[in-house]
Amino acid sequence: MSRVALVTGGSRGIGAAISKALKGAGYTVAASYAGNDEAAAKFTEETGIKTYKWDVGNYEASKAGLAQVESDLGPIDVVVANAGITRDAPFHRMTPEQWHDVVNTNLTGVFNTVHPIYPGMRERGFGRVIVISSINGQKGQFGQVNYSATKAGDLGFVKALAQEGAAKGITANAICPGYIATDMVMAVPEKVRNSIIAQIPTGRLGEPEEIARCVVFLASDDAAFLNGSTITANGGQFFV
């Protein structure tokens, strides 16, 4: 029986590439999403990957959604916490709502995604927790105090959890993508996009599939000794 992998925010963008790559590597994959029913239905139709709708920022909704996935597919062995949002504004104009929305999804959402299934991983003696952080959690970004804070928090989450889970065969690692050619980035005006690319030594945006391949490696048995680590995938734009 193949291992079961869950990808939050797994029906679009980087998440969709991760879901497809894991399926291609032999995993039974479930993808969660927050609100775009049409995109999720199209994704399932094209890939055969089941999609499940819940708000990762809500613990009880996450717990129920995860239970449904495990009822349908079996115990979750690999969890990829990828769901994330932005609510950009300079700090002096940022509203409490913009702050809390981003924190609830990008940071609390990681806790809500991992916590309900973590006891099962401990009991089975195996688990892979993979959190998709961001270059902006490493270096910060103007207008993204909320987003950068959550993505930096994700790295702290991974480093601490790695120490707790190691003895039980559970690893926790993070990936920090740089600027990736998703629909969101490609929708940015060409002039702005070119100014971003000018800061990347490789001279191009990353591809979602390049992040997905990092996930497949971290999920594998080959990565058993990689724990509490951050894979920086940004084309050389920023070094830690």
Side-chain angles (χ1 to χ4, degrees):
M1 181 179 293
S2 65
R3 286 175 173 156
V4 175
L6 167 73
V7 183
T8 64
S11 62
R12 293 192 294 164
I14 292 174
I18 293 169
S19 296
K20 289 187 280 190
L22 286 169
K23 182 182 179 183
Y27 294 84
T28 299
V29 181
S32 80
Y33 70 102
N36 194 325
D37 296 326
E38 184 178 350
K42 182 179 180 182
F43 177 77
T44 297
E45 182 181 354
E46 291 176 348
T47 65
I49 296 171
K50 286 190 174 184
T51 51
Y52 297 80
K53 184 178 182 180
W54 72 77
D55 174 13
V56 297
N58 182 303
Y59 186 84
E60 293 304 321
S62 296
K63 186 177 178 180
L66 292 161
Q68 187 61 58
V69 171
E70 293 200 316
S71 175
D72 292 346
L73 304 179
I76 295 170
D77 303 299
V78 176
V79 58
V80 184
N82 166 75
I85 63 171
T86 57
R87 298 288 185 269
D88 295 351
F91 185 66
H92 64 285
R93 296 178 183 172
M94 187 172 289
T95 65
E97 182 180 24
Q98 288 173 316
W99 172 267
H100 289 299
D101 283 351
V102 173
V103 170
N104 286 344
T105 296
N106 297 7
L107 184 55
T108 304
V110 175
F111 173 86
N112 294 346
T113 298
V114 178
H115 189 259
I117 60 175
Y118 193 72
M121 290 180 172
R122 283 173 52 86
E123 289 172 9
R124 296 188 299 275
F126 179 87
R128 294 286 186 267
V129 177
I130 303 164
V131 180
I132 307 302
S133 180
S134 168
I135 185 176
N136 292 339
Q138 297 174 300
K139 71 177 186 62
Q141 177 61 38
F142 181 95
Q144 287 196 330
V145 167
N146 49 4
Y147 183 83
S148 296
T150 61
K151 292 302 184 177
D154 289 342
L155 299 181
F157 175 95
V158 159
K159 290 174 183 178
L161 190 64
Q163 297 176 59
E164 294 190 21
K168 294 291 186 179
I170 304 168
T171 64
N173 294 287
I175 300 170
C176 283
Y179 287 90
I180 308 300
T182 60
D183 290 342
M184 182 175 68
V185 172
M186 297 309 291
V188 169
E190 185 176 3
K191 183 178 179 180
V192 176
R193 196 164 66 246
N194 287 340
S195 70
I196 292 171
I197 293 171
Q199 302 173 43
I200 305 173
T202 53
R204 65 175 178 87
L205 299 171
E207 295 295 334
E209 292 75 16
E210 292 177 302
I211 306 305
R213 288 193 286 272
C214 295
V215 171
V216 172
F217 170 66
L218 289 176
S220 71
D221 291 337
D222 290 339
F225 201 58
L226 199 64
N227 196 22
S229 296
T230 301
I231 294 179
T232 298
N234 60 36
Q237 184 178 355
F238 182 78
F239 301 105
V240 179

